[in-house]
Amino acid sequence: MALFRSKQDVFSEDLASQIGESQTLGVQLRRMARRNKLAVASAVFLALLTLAAIFVPILSPYDPVIGDASIRLKPPSAAHWLGTDEMGRDVLTRLLYGARISLAVGVVPTLISMILGVALGVVAGYVGGMTDYILMRLADVMLAFPSLLLAMVIMYTLGGGVLNIFLALALVGWASVARVARSETISLKESEYVQAAKSIGVSGGRIIRRHILPNCLPALIVLFTLNIPSAILSESSLSFLGAGVQLPNSSWGLMVNMGRQFLYNAPWISLAPSAAIMLVVLACNFLGDGLRDALDPHLNNE
Amino acid sequence: MAREILLSARGLVKEFPAKGHKRVHAVSDVDLDIYAGETLALVGESGCGKSTLGRTLIQLIPPTAGTVTFQGHEITGLSARAFAPYRRQMQLIFQDPYASLDPRMTVHDIVAEPLVTYKLCPDKAAVTQRVRELLDAVGIPDEFLYRYPHQFSGGQRQRIGIARAIALQPRLIICDEPVSALDVSVQSQILNLLKDLQERFGLTYLFISHDLSVVRFMADRVAVMFLGRLCEVGDTKTVYERPAHPYTRFLLDAIPMADPRARETEKPLLQGEIPSPIDVPSGCRFRTRCPYATSRCRTEEPELRAVDGRLVACHAAPLDR
Amino acid sequence: MDNDLTLKIEHLSSGFFTERGYVPAVDDVSLSIGKGQVVGIVGESGCGKSMIARSVMGLLKYPGRITGGSIKLAGQELTGMSDGQLQRIRGKDMAMIFQEPMTSLNPVVPIGKQMREALLLHEKMDKISAKAEVLKMLEHVGISEPKKRYGAYPHELSGGLRQRVMIAMAMICKPKLLIADEPTTALDVTIEAQILRLIRSLSRETGMSVLLISHNLGVIAQMCDTVYVMYAGKIVEQADAYTLFDRHAHPYTKGLMDSVIDLKSNPRRLPAIGGVVPNLLHLPAGCAFSPRCPRAMDRCREERPELEELAPGHLCRCFEEGRERL
């Protein structure tokens, strides 16, 4: 996805300069907003969900932990939009409190693994040689483990809790990021503008900061949005299996697990968090696809 | 008429590893002098090693063997720190104006990069002032300062690349096919600009090109390269009017003349393809395509020698016309 | 009379529909090629010369579209044909070779098999006689050891050999029209001369017509019977090659001719056409070349000149006062 243009592209390049098509990040994002309504809707949905999760104490009259025993297992109603659970707690309220952890688990470990992966990948790609070899074999080893299993091992060793989930998922995720960052770096390193910077005498660190990272950025943004769902899904699986978030904290995976025994007489307890997981994952994927189409120069002129 | 030699290469060799423990002989045993203030053209077909030679001369690619001296100082084998003061003196202009500018930087930042790297200006305002001067020198209007490369035409981008190259006030500029990606009408503008800048700043050019017409206009001297070796070096006028190496003659004859009448006098064409730089022919590297080749050419590699006012590497030279 | 023409393009317009508006890449172009003729289109990038080739071949991709006019190949109308109908004509009656042969060859199929494909498809030949035909054609375009090359993959060949393979592939069904879009631009000068000579001799031997698109006036001068000069989507001058090189009338043609470097003299500066190619979205009100034209008058900036016949077969799109003196 490096912004290299071959000479065969001159035809389309020519057209691009004729009609003033632009390649800067802001313009590309605005163009996506104009063209891809699904991606925009996804972004709006994620933003609203985040706001709701933050302001749920103000928005909801119910307590997420202490229930009202008189209204146990009630189906959705005007008072309780998504019904109540076995302890008489409002499912929607718990869902939004759970969103805090689920969204945080989607974003924070992904961010950590991105930073780690980009740092290692860019260094491996730019320096090359033995450094590259060692770092990439390490990444291969990481990728060879089934990631969920690895996360479970880490969780059982360190114990449950949100911080440990962050750590486990970050450790599992960096390798694939490093690979993408490395291959981007290698193709950018061969680009003429990096060669030009070298011929001026610009230092390696500055070349990475000024030329390689900004030009990797589109690919990394896309990767970020596409990695969030897998982190959310991993957390859900871990919590569902009992290796994740521990009570009284709540995450969507844990809610699905807790509602399992009432699946026949009160299916909303499990279905609401399941649907939430699905919607967030879909929204992230739509947004990621939209960003990829907007930011990938090879698709731009189609 | 002792002219100052700016850069001089002796026995320069560059080989790259290839599959199966073979080697690509990109540049083989090249001796070359570049005089201060001149334009020396390096011509040859693709894959002849002219770009590699250009980059090896300014140490962008370290040579396998041989030495390069710049103003009398050896610059081969120096550490990055020791080489830094020389790096400023030698700059590069690239072929592809679409690829050689970072698409996510403004014109200002692109041209400022060398200034910032060597901390040539005391503050930001001074950098901007200097960038304006440089852009003015290459004919880019002031109001385009904060635009991005994609907003310019090919010719304008090449002007920006030139501004970046002259920012450090170098002595030597390697122009690597600077106009071959441009349209004919724009090509003339850029060539004129390069000549003007040479006069104004006392630049020395190593002008790498496959286009013999462009070389005729630009170069004082020309070095013809075939498969990693120099086959003829001399004054442009001499070489173009009386080519002494068979390859030079075929190259000149192959140029399609912009005159329909030239059709009637069909000249003999060079047959066959360029041999692989991995398995180079023994003796003279041109002999497999050369109609004058003898058994001597198979066994003995011709050295550059003075013939008729220029240097030629051919056993048969001078050819009678 | 018209049926003798291999290709007759009348008032062709085609362009791109973009978000910023319609880009008129080809504007009201008429052009004809007789049997066995080599006709050239010369112009700079973005002038629309490749768009004409793509329009004729039916290879315009979204957002490009033909918006008007007619294209007749040997009397048969091509505009308005379905993809399927065009498919049957492409490769059989007309074929195209491109600047970069590597991108138009399938990298994982041996070249012989790729060439055979057209014969199996269009000529309904059996595999054995098709292979024999392919070998004959490879030899015809000057490829030594055709039997050995038959099984070679594109990446095993040099640029010159690949372009020969492309020509052989284009020629295999003996098309009436060969469109060559910058066929030698990616090649070295010694190989370029070989390929040009090959195209010319093939045209002479088989009576095939050639539409040659190039930015190189040398190539045009060596190859073409008739030449069309294009600027900003329009034909600005057309004449037979000798007339065009000796007595061109349009200032743009003159500018192009002046940019050609003479190998014999050594001027200090090159005559250059100032300015840049206009943006097709915002063409000037008058003549498209007027902002760059050294002879432009007020009239040129307000009024668009029409193509006028100066002599039989010599047309020029310039007001009389602006033309070069003949």
Side-chain angles (χ1 to χ4, degrees), chain A residues 159 203 231-232:
Chain A
S203 66
I232 292 179

Side-chain angles (χ1 to χ4, degrees), chain C residues 29-30 42 46 69 95 98 119-120 149 152 168 183 215 219 223 245 247 273 276 294 297 300 310:
Chain C
V29 164
S30 299
V42 67
F98 299 88
L119 289 174
L120 301 180
R149 304 287 188 198
H215 69 282
V219 170
M223 295 289 291
F245 280 85
R247 296 196 301 277
I273 307 176
V276 292
M297 306 159 295
C300 305
L310 310 182

Side-chain angles (χ1 to χ4, degrees), chain B:
Chain B
M1 208 183 85
R3 287 190 292 168
E4 183 202 350
I5 294 177
L6 188 65
L7 184 132
S8 167
R10 287 292 171 267
L12 204 63
V13 176
K14 181 62 199 180
E15 293 174 357
F16 297 101
K19 259 188 256 169
H21 298 288
K22 288 185 174 169
R23 304 190 73 75
V24 179
H25 302 270
V27 175
S28 301
D29 195 19
V30 164
D31 294 350
L32 193 66
D33 292 326
I34 304 177
Y35 296 101
E38 76 166 347
T39 299
L40 172 67
L42 202 53
V43 298
E45 297 179 279
S46 54
C48 74
K50 54 189 191 299
S51 278
T52 309
L53 175 56
R55 277 154 214 240
T56 312
L57 285 176
I58 62 167
Q59 308 300 308
L60 263 185
I61 307 177
T64 310
T67 57
V68 180
T69 54
F70 185 79
Q71 294 178 313
H73 306 282
E74 182 168 344
I75 55 170
T76 30
L78 292 184
S79 69
R81 185 177 295 271
F83 184 67
Y86 298 106
R87 163 72 60 233
R88 278 182 61 179
Q89 302 289 327
M90 307 168 208
Q91 292 297 308
L92 197 59
I93 297 172
F94 292 83
Q95 165 176 8
D96 189 346
Y98 296 99
S100 57
L101 306 178
D102 189 332
R104 297 197 185 270
M105 279 168 84
T106 62
V107 171
H108 174 276
D109 290 353
I110 288 170
V111 179
E113 185 157 51
L115 304 173
V116 173
T117 301
Y118 289 91
K119 303 188 177 64
L120 293 185
C121 302
D123 56 35
K124 280 189 176 169
V127 170
T128 305
Q129 180 53 34
R130 179 84 182 111
V131 168
R132 280 179 202 275
E133 287 166 22
L134 288 164
L135 288 177
D136 180 61
V138 298
I140 295 284
D142 223 22
E143 66 258 32
F144 294 162
L145 198 58
Y146 294 104
R147 290 209 183 168
Y148 288 88
H150 60 81
Q151 292 168 303
F152 293 90
S153 70
Q156 288 169 323
R157 288 186 218 199
Q158 198 56 289
R159 287 174 192 267
I160 296 165
I162 293 170
R164 174 175 60 188
I166 60 172
L168 294 173
Q169 298 173 297
R171 294 291 310 272
L172 174 67
I173 295 184
I174 313 273
C175 309
D176 191 355
E177 302 268 10
V179 295
S180 58
L182 303 177
D183 277 317
V184 266
S185 69
V186 181
Q187 184 172 304
S188 315
Q189 296 176 12
I190 298 295
L191 292 176
N192 285 336
L193 173 67
L194 285 172
K195 274 209 168 178
D196 292 345
L197 292 175
Q198 179 169 41
E199 228 164 67
R200 192 163 152 197
F201 298 112
L203 297 168
T204 305
Y205 290 140
L206 178 68
F207 193 89
I208 300 171
S209 180
H210 71 281
D211 186 332
L212 288 129
S213 316
V214 168
V215 166
R216 177 74 180 98
F217 171 69
M218 282 300 290
D220 304 309
R221 290 195 309 138
V222 55
V224 184
M225 212 171 163
F226 184 80
L227 214 59
R229 289 188 138 262
L230 295 181
C231 41
E232 185 160 359
V233 184
D235 286 342
T236 310
K237 194 165 150 53
T238 315
V239 171
Y240 273 61
E241 284 171 7
R242 301 189 308 279
H245 197 285
Y247 179 59
T248 316
R249 186 188 286 186
F250 278 115
L251 272 184
L252 289 168
D253 281 352
I255 304 173
M257 304 296 285
D259 178 4
R261 263 167 212 89
R263 279 187 229 178
E264 285 119 43
T265 55
E266 283 212 336
K267 287 168 179 157
L269 288 188
L270 191 57
Q271 296 304 314
E273 303 273 328
I274 303 164
S276 154
I278 298 175
D279 301 303
V280 290
S282 65
C284 174
R285 291 186 179 178
F286 184 59
R287 69 172 168 82
T288 53
R289 298 176 83 187
C290 181
Y292 307 96
T294 63
S295 58
R296 187 181 171 202
C297 304
R298 187 188 304 273
T299 52
E300 198 184 319
E301 190 152 0
E303 297 290 325
L304 275 179
R305 64 194 165 91
V307 173
D308 186 17
R310 95 295 302 275
L311 298 172
V312 193
C314 176
H315 296 308
L319 303 165
D320 30 74
R321 288 246 88 176

Side-chain angles (χ1 to χ4, degrees), chain A residues 129-153:
Chain A
M130 209 53 199
T131 318
D132 182 28
Y133 186 84
I134 292 171
L135 286 174
M136 281 305 112
R137 291 304 80 78
L138 202 63
D140 287 343
V141 171
M142 290 301 292
L143 289 169
F145 281 118
S147 58
L148 196 63
L149 212 59
L150 186 62
M152 280 174 73
V153 170

Side-chain angles (χ1 to χ4, degrees), chain A residues 43-182:
Chain A
V44 170
F45 169 72
L46 291 173
L48 287 179
L49 185 66
T50 311
L51 287 177
I54 294 171
F55 294 111
V56 58
I58 306 167
L59 295 172
S60 166
Y62 306 108
D63 188 279
V65 181
I66 303 154
D68 178 351
S70 64
I71 49 163
R72 293 174 58 213
L73 299 176
K74 290 279 182 261
S77 62
H80 301 279
W81 292 359
L82 293 176
T84 59
D85 68 0
E86 76 280 7
M87 293 169 73
R89 298 174 294 200
D90 181 56
V91 172
L92 181 59
T93 306
R94 280 182 62 75
L95 196 70
L96 290 177
Y97 276 99
R100 293 177 163 190
I101 289 181
S102 284
L103 290 181
V105 162
V107 174
V108 177
T110 310
L111 206 60
I112 299 173
S113 66
M114 289 292 291
I115 292 169
L116 202 63
V118 168
L120 294 176
V122 168
V123 167
Y126 193 80
V127 177
M130 209 53 199
T131 318
D132 182 28
Y133 186 84
I134 292 171
L135 286 174
M136 281 305 112
R137 291 304 80 78
L138 202 63
D140 287 343
V141 171
M142 290 301 292
L143 289 169
F145 281 118
S147 58
L148 196 63
L149 212 59
L150 186 62
M152 280 174 73
V153 170
I154 299 174
M155 291 305 297
Y156 282 129
T157 320
L158 301 177
V162 176
L163 280 180
N164 288 343
I165 290 190
F166 287 175
L167 200 63
L169 293 180
L171 281 176
V172 170
W174 71 268
S176 60
V177 178
R179 277 199 165 175
V180 173
R182 173 181 176 268

